[in-house]
Amino acid sequence: MLDRLPWAPVEVLDASEELFGADLFPFEWPPCGEVHLNGAVYRPVVFTARMFVPPDGDWAPVWASMRALAAEHGDENVRLVVWFG
């Protein structure tokens, strides 16, 4: 999944180091921190689970199955456990 994420260009990281006085990744920037570079504004984005697995993406069949199970057994009785091994 991480290959689909946009990464900050090195130029932005260098500009942020000059601006904030430390070598920081965007998620470490101060609150409301942003970097202006070459006419663009860069702001950190906090990724959510929904961004990684959208309802209409590759996991759509899983979400559909979970909705069906929840309709039959109730929301509180449905869990998704994923094993990466």
Side-chain angles (χ1 to χ4, degrees):
M1 274 303 186
L2 295 178
D3 61 332
R4 297 180 189 173
L5 291 177
W7 296 96
V10 173
E11 296 82 11
V12 173
L13 298 175
D14 290 343
S16 73
E17 185 173 1
E18 285 183 32
L19 183 63
F20 303 126
D23 186 17
L24 304 173
F25 286 105
F27 66 86
E28 299 173 307
W29 292 358
C32 300
E34 57 185 30
V35 173
H36 297 258
L37 183 66
N38 299 328
V41 179
Y42 295 87
R43 296 180 186 99
V45 174
V46 176
F47 290 101
T48 64
R50 188 171 297 275
M51 292 173 165
F52 285 105
V53 284
D56 57 347
D58 294 340
W59 284 58
V62 174
W63 307 142
S65 297
M66 290 184 71
R67 275 192 300 278
L69 288 168
E72 184 176 341
H73 302 288
D75 291 346
E76 295 299 318
N77 298 311
V78 178
R79 298 285 180 269
L80 174 64
V81 178
V82 180
W83 178 270
F84 297 96

